[in-house]
Structures are given as C-alpha cells and as structure tokens.
Amino acid sequence: MSQPLILDGKALAKIIEDSLRPRVETYKRKNGGRVPVLAAILVGGDPASATYVKMKGNACSRIGMDSRKINLPETATTAELLAEIDRCNEDPLVHGILLQHPVPRQIDERAAFDAIAPEKDVDGVTCLGFGRMAMGEPAYGSATPAGIMKIIEHYEIPVEGRRAVVVGRSPILGKPLALMLLNRNATVTICHSRTQNLADVVRQADIVVGAVGRPKFIQGGWIRPGAVVIDAGYHPGGVGDIDLEAAVQRCSAYTPVPGGVGPMTIAMLLSQTMDAAEKRFAR
Ligand code: NAP
C-alpha cells in the first residue's frame, strides 16, 4: 500500500491562526482599539491544566487577542465558581469563556459549564450548545471534536455514507464528535467501556477515532486496510490512544501524535472566540 496521508493538524492550525490575525485587526480598528477577549477560568493548581490554560493564553497573544486568566483556589465552591462565571457573562468586554476541565471534585462541573452564557460558550460545553449542535442548529462545537471535523473537511475525507467508529463517549469529545459525524451523514457507532468485541467493531470502520484516554489502546491490527485513523489521545512520551506505528501500515490517512488533533483544539477555541466577538459587534 502507498504511504498514508498525514493529516497535519499543526499546519492546519497555523493556517487558521493566520486567517484570524487580520480579523482581529479589523475588529480592533472598528472597536476603538479593543480586541476580542477570552476569559480562561482555572480552578486549583493541577499542573497539566495550568499548562493548557497557559498554551491557550499564548495562542490568544499570537493572533492579537487578549486572554484574561482567572485562578480560583483548589478549595473553591460551586457557588464561588458560578459567581465568577456570572461576572464573565455580564462583562461586555469578555467574548468567550473557557472553564478548564477537570475541576476539583467538590465542584458541580456540569452546573458550572451550563452557567456559561450560550453566546460566550466558545468551548462548546453547555448542554444547550450540545443540543443545538446535535439538531444541526447554529452553536459553537466542542473544541476538540470541532477541530477533528475541520481536519476532515480540510483534507476532504469522505464522510457521507461511511462507517465511522468513535471509541469513547465523553461529553467533551466522543459524544459530540459522533453527532457531528452523524450530521455529515456518516453511519456512526459509538464504543465505550462496556462495548463487547471492540476489535470487531473497529474492523468495520472506514473512519476510526480514538478518544479513550489509554495509551496505544487501539491496536494496529484492528484497523481496516485503507481506513482513516484519527487519534485524539495524548499521553506522556508523545503517544496517543491508537498504536499508530502499526496503524500506519494499514490506513490511508492518519493524524500524527503530536501535531494532529491537539493543535486544532486551540485553533477552534480561538476561531470560535473570534466568531463570538464579531457576532456581538454585529448586534
Ligand atoms: P474520558 O472522559 O476519560 O473518556 C474516555 C472514554 O473512553 C469513555 O467514554 C470511556 O467509556 C471510554 N473507554 C474507557 N476504557 C475503555 C475501553 N476499555 N474500551 C472502550 N472504551 C473505553 O476522556 P476524554 O476527555 O474524552 O479524552 C480521551 C482522550 O482524548 C485522552 O487521551 C485525552 O488526553 C484526549 N483529549 C485530547 C484533547 C486535545 O485537545 N487534543 C482534548 C480532550 C481530550 P465509559 O464512558 O464507558 O467510561
């Protein structure tokens, strides 16, 4: 088989960032020097979460947007977090709100996500946004699955009528991605920890998505020859949820780890914050 196509999320993310820079400039010119603002709320001191928030702030700076970092202590209550989200909802200078997942255990994360105003839900985490997206209504998609769909679109991967198998059903990744693929007329199967004969299900797939959170969990031998392989996982040592070394021997296209899905998550967050700012301005 010929070499598989590399679905280069890093390069695509750069194209998206480059396209956002002039939009920020135009926005700034029309708004008396003000730029779009993303409020990033971090609860507690988890180092990985702190790094993600920092990376998102850096990405905002790269394209000329502002980010406002809001740090709540590890001991913060749901009420305190809700009050903070409310302040951001009410603040006309904030266009997008990101609540970094996961939050400490004492906090009702679902209540916190759902407190984000729909027009500022640029990370696509509210139930309302999810429902609208599922119904094909305008909504900001959950950032990682939206990034995966952007990769699929950019590389013109055929989706309609294809069998897509999504391994993982988390609210921020597997579940919304499955619905996005369904909305593009794929025949979608969602797998999870109770799925039986997972290998056989994956073998049916024209498009396989690994969103499991376990390093190299999906074996190369499960991949149908010619399938498109999307690996959303990221683990220490730079491996994903799919055994890519083995999968590349069989697939027709794949997202590398790193440099595939990861950079697209941030690009979508920026892009949706830009959209939110422009929509506010248009009102
Ligand atoms: P998660 O919330 O832990 O969900 C994992 C999913 O995998 C669950 O639905 C779980 O099923 C399923 N699963 C677990 N063990 C399984 C098994 N043995 N067989 C089949 N399914 C199994 O994880 P997540 O937040 O969706 O993240 C998934 C991966 O994506 C992680 O590697 C994470 O690092 C990565 N990720 C990357 C980005 C990015 O920006 N690139 C963003 C988010 C996540 P149940 O529902 O039955 O428990």
Side-chain angles (χ1 to χ4, degrees):
M1 192 180 279
S2 56
Q3 286 294 310
L5 175 68
I6 298 173
L7 307 173
D8 189 341
K10 194 173 169 193
L12 180 54
K14 184 170 182 317
I15 292 171
I16 292 172
E17 283 193 14
D18 289 345
S19 75
L20 290 173
R21 229 170 261 118
R23 282 171 67 187
V24 173
E25 275 309 309
T26 304
Y27 182 92
K28 193 173 170 183
R29 218 175 35 249
K30 290 183 176 168
N31 281 277
R34 291 222 166 95
V35 296
V37 175
L38 173 70
I41 306 175
L42 175 66
V43 188
D46 174 55
S49 294
T51 304
Y52 290 138
V53 168
K54 195 169 170 209
M55 284 166 69
K56 290 163 186 172
N58 291 345
C60 285
S61 315
R62 279 201 300 276
I63 63 160
M65 279 183 186
D66 269 350
S67 62
R68 188 182 295 176
K69 193 173 151 202
I70 298 159
N71 230 137
L72 295 184
E74 187 75 38
T75 52
T77 62
T78 301
E80 285 163 348
L81 176 56
L82 292 179
E84 201 54 66
I85 291 170
D86 229 33
R87 271 192 282 278
C88 293
N89 284 339
E90 296 300 320
D91 187 339
L93 299 182
V94 169
H95 302 95
I97 301 171
L98 160 84
L99 170 60
Q100 185 62 43
H101 162 88
V103 294
R105 291 174 65 186
Q106 76 278 8
I107 288 180
D108 182 344
E109 186 178 70
R110 178 41 48 205
F113 278 152
D114 281 334
I116 296 172
E119 68 275 13
K120 297 190 180 187
D121 179 22
V122 293
D123 203 22
V125 293
T126 61
C127 283
L128 186 61
F130 178 91
R132 282 190 181 153
M133 178 278 292
M135 293 299 166
E137 298 290 326
Y140 298 116
S142 182
T144 304
I148 291 173
M149 295 308 292
K150 207 54 158 190
I151 291 176
I152 286 175
E153 197 182 298
H154 178 80
Y155 284 96
E156 299 180 349
I157 305 291
V159 176
E160 184 162 324
R162 304 297 160 111
R163 284 165 300 186
V165 171
V166 180
V167 189
R169 58 172 168 181
S170 74
I172 57 153
L173 182 42
K175 213 175 270 184
L177 179 64
L179 286 158
M180 289 175 190
L181 288 163
L182 180 66
N183 286 345
R184 290 279 314 275
N185 297 318
T187 300
V188 183
T189 304
I190 307 173
C191 300
H192 46 78
S193 62
R194 261 47 75 78
T195 296
Q196 296 186 356
N197 305 322
L198 180 63
D200 289 342
V201 180
V202 172
R203 277 193 190 99
Q204 304 294 315
D206 300 308
I207 301 169
V208 182
V209 182
V212 197
R214 293 180 173 211
K216 295 190 176 187
F217 176 74
I218 296 170
Q219 315 282 300
W222 302 0
I223 306 297
R224 198 179 124 121
V228 173
V229 169
I230 311 273
D231 193 343
Y234 183 74
H235 305 278
V239 296
D241 289 349
I242 299 177
D243 182 358
L244 283 178
E245 268 168 39
V248 294
Q249 310 298 325
R250 302 165 71 93
C251 68
S252 60
Y254 71 100
T255 56
V257 179
V261 173
M264 287 301 294
T265 299
I266 295 182
M268 294 318 293
L269 186 66
L270 297 179
S271 170
Q272 297 190 144
T273 303
M274 187 72 242
D275 291 346
E278 287 172 345
K279 271 186 204 149
R280 167 84 69 77
F281 180 71
R283 266 193 276 145

